[in-house]
Amino acid sequence: MSKMHMSTPPFELDGPDGPIKARTDFRVPEGYFDTLPQRVLAAIEEEALAKEGQSSRPGAWVSVWGGLSVGQRWAVAASVVLVAGWLGIWRPWSGTKPKLDDPMLAQLTTSEISESLDLHIWSTGLVTEGTDDGVWGEPAWIRAEDIAGMDSLDIERSIVNWDEVETAEL
Amino acid sequence: MVAKGEDQAAERQWERELLEEFADPRSRNRAFERLVRQYQKPLYYHIRRMVLDHDEADDLVQNTLIRCYQALDRFEARSSLYTWLYRIATNLCLTHLEKKRKRRWLSLSDENTLREAEGQRETPVSRSDSPERILEKALLTLPPKQRLVFQMRYYDELPYEQMSEILGTSTGALKASYHWAFKKVENYLRHL
């Protein structure tokens, strides 16, 4: 369309014959309007069934979770932890307390249990590492059979000869 | 428009009866079928003039009627039923055209759109073409909303008040929009 060329328009929009009629000669498939109401009702029913199916699926909960913002999800998670803790299901901050439900251990005193643990450590040699550093001299580990009847102070004295240490400095 | 020539009071009476019938679950679908048969053609041609392609128009007509069915219980009859349907259809059309434009990176003034819709290669418009065809091509050079205002006023002869209800725009803005659209089309015709 040339902008330079202007001529009398082929017709007037508001001419004496009235407005130009809108096109109605669009090609429409035969029977289109006859079947449209039924097709629309069928589509409505299909959509209603699809919505019912979606709401009953477990996935609906996933979509609910997915609809939450990040902050909301954290709030939900924190609430679950608090409720679980209150119900006594899980207390991560309480540390682990061994449950002495063993009938044999339940009959022993605390000191007896403690001694048994010390013996266990020594007999397995678990405490040999890091002790041979020359500060205290070569350790004289007391064997389990040697400490029968000795208390802890005696055991310590047998390891270090304090008299020798004191006199050595002088 | 369907209501052209009909007494407005009679039209409202017909709508009231239809809504009562629709409210009853036993007669709901029958009432809706009556509604569709009453308004399907003007709705279809209104949409078809906007999108030009039959398949697209079919989708939009169905979507319009489905939404009508889902919301008809809440229709408060502040406007006529047809105005309400027209508004739904118009909004769906505009949304559809905008998505299409972004998707295809085509200007809606591109006459290739018309050629595709007609499924045939057409020669550029000439003075020997029918006035209807020339005018339709002239309207394709307008932005979608302005084209819509022109069609509603020029073709459908809707009062500005009704157009305002449908488009949610003031009558003053609509008058100005129509005035400019009219001038643009006249200019197009002079340069043909």
Side-chain angles (χ1 to χ4, degrees):
Chain A
M1 186 174 69
S2 166
K3 289 185 180 176
M4 299 299 294
H5 171 71
M6 287 178 62
S7 60
T8 308
F11 55 87
E12 297 288 334
L13 282 173
D14 52 357
D17 296 330
I20 307 300
K21 297 293 178 198
R23 264 189 74 188
T24 55
D25 60 343
F26 292 109
R27 279 193 287 265
V28 181
E30 194 173 338
Y32 174 77
F33 292 113
D34 295 330
T35 58
L36 183 60
Q38 283 72 36
R39 283 189 286 114
V40 172
L41 284 168
I44 289 166
E45 195 174 329
E46 196 179 317
E47 203 170 295
L49 287 172
K51 276 185 185 172
E52 278 179 28
Q54 275 183 357
S55 61
S56 62
R57 276 188 296 130
W61 293 105
V62 175
S63 69
V64 169
W65 176 259
L68 297 175
S69 66
V70 173
Q72 287 173 328
R73 289 183 194 179
W74 276 111
V76 169
S79 302
V80 170
V81 168
L82 286 171
V83 169
W86 179 72
L87 291 174
I89 295 169
W90 179 49
R91 294 192 176 92
W93 57 86
S94 63
T96 53
K97 286 186 181 176
K99 291 185 178 180
L100 297 178
D101 52 359
D102 190 320
M104 194 278 282
L105 289 176
Q107 296 171 10
L108 302 177
T109 63
T110 306
S111 58
E112 287 169 339
I113 294 172
S114 180
E115 284 177 18
S116 69
L117 289 171
D118 289 340
L119 288 172
H120 175 73
I121 289 172
W122 286 1
S123 65
T124 58
L126 290 173
V127 293
T128 58
E129 292 182 2
T131 57
D132 185 16
D133 57 2
V135 175
W136 297 104
E138 186 172 352
W141 295 110
I142 300 173
R143 292 173 298 175
E145 56 267 31
D146 295 331
I147 62 170
M150 296 173 67
D151 60 11
S152 58
L153 192 58
D154 291 332
I155 293 169
E156 188 181 348
R157 284 187 185 131
S158 67
I159 296 173
V160 177
N161 190 334
W162 291 105
D163 294 331
E164 289 180 4
V165 169
E166 287 174 3
T167 56
E169 287 177 1
L170 295 175
Chain B
M1 273 186 61
V2 169
K4 207 183 233 184
E6 279 189 30
D7 182 45
Q8 202 173 27
E11 183 196 354
R12 289 295 177 131
Q13 177 62 25
W14 182 86
E15 285 183 7
R16 270 195 297 273
E17 289 169 3
L18 185 88
L19 290 171
E20 281 172 14
E21 199 181 348
F22 186 84
D24 185 351
R26 293 169 297 181
S27 55
R28 168 166 293 197
N29 285 0
R30 188 169 64 242
F32 189 70
E33 192 175 332
R34 273 177 53 204
L35 180 151
V36 174
R37 292 199 184 281
Q38 181 77 352
Y39 295 127
Q40 59 183 351
K41 282 188 181 176
L43 263 181
Y44 172 84
Y45 285 113
H46 165 60
I47 293 170
R48 182 77 189 261
R49 281 200 296 270
M50 288 295 291
V51 303
L52 300 176
D53 176 70
H54 165 72
D55 289 332
E56 291 176 27
D58 179 41
D59 274 344
L60 290 166
V61 163
Q62 291 202 46
N63 283 337
T64 300
L65 292 168
I66 289 171
R67 287 183 186 215
C68 167
Y69 185 96
Q70 292 168 344
L72 198 53
D73 282 337
R74 300 188 296 276
F75 177 68
E76 294 175 1
R78 281 178 290 184
S79 65
S80 72
L81 198 49
Y82 184 68
T83 300
W84 184 60
L85 278 169
Y86 203 101
R87 181 172 190 168
I88 297 172
T90 300
N91 286 337
L92 286 175
C93 275
L94 291 174
T95 306
H96 170 78
L97 289 171
E98 183 59 22
K99 280 185 188 171
K100 198 174 163 185
R101 186 186 68 83
K102 287 179 180 173
R103 199 164 53 233
R104 293 187 185 176
W105 292 93
L106 281 174
S107 165
L108 287 172
S109 65
D110 191 335
E111 291 187 6
N112 285 330
T113 305
L114 177 60
R115 283 199 279 274
E116 280 182 41
E118 293 297 304
Q120 56 186 334
R121 292 200 176 276
E122 294 194 18
T123 54
V125 65
S126 69
R127 298 173 73 90
S128 59
D129 282 329
S130 67
E132 291 81 6
R133 199 155 202 85
I134 292 172
L135 182 52
E136 185 179 79
K137 295 208 175 183
L139 292 180
L140 286 176
T141 64
L142 301 177
K145 274 194 177 171
Q146 198 171 57
R147 176 154 55 108
L148 185 62
V149 170
F150 185 95
Q151 287 176 341
M152 290 167 78
R153 182 65 182 165
Y154 188 84
Y155 286 145
D156 298 335
E157 297 178 328
L158 295 181
Y160 282 112
E161 291 71 25
Q162 192 171 4
M163 287 167 63
S164 175
E165 276 183 63
I166 292 167
L167 297 174
T169 307
S170 69
T171 54
L174 290 171
K175 287 175 184 175
S177 181
Y178 178 69
H179 171 77
W180 286 115
F182 198 94
K183 292 294 176 195
K184 282 183 189 177
V185 171
E186 280 188 328
N187 196 44
Y188 178 93
L189 295 177
R190 270 190 230 109
H191 286 88
L192 205 55

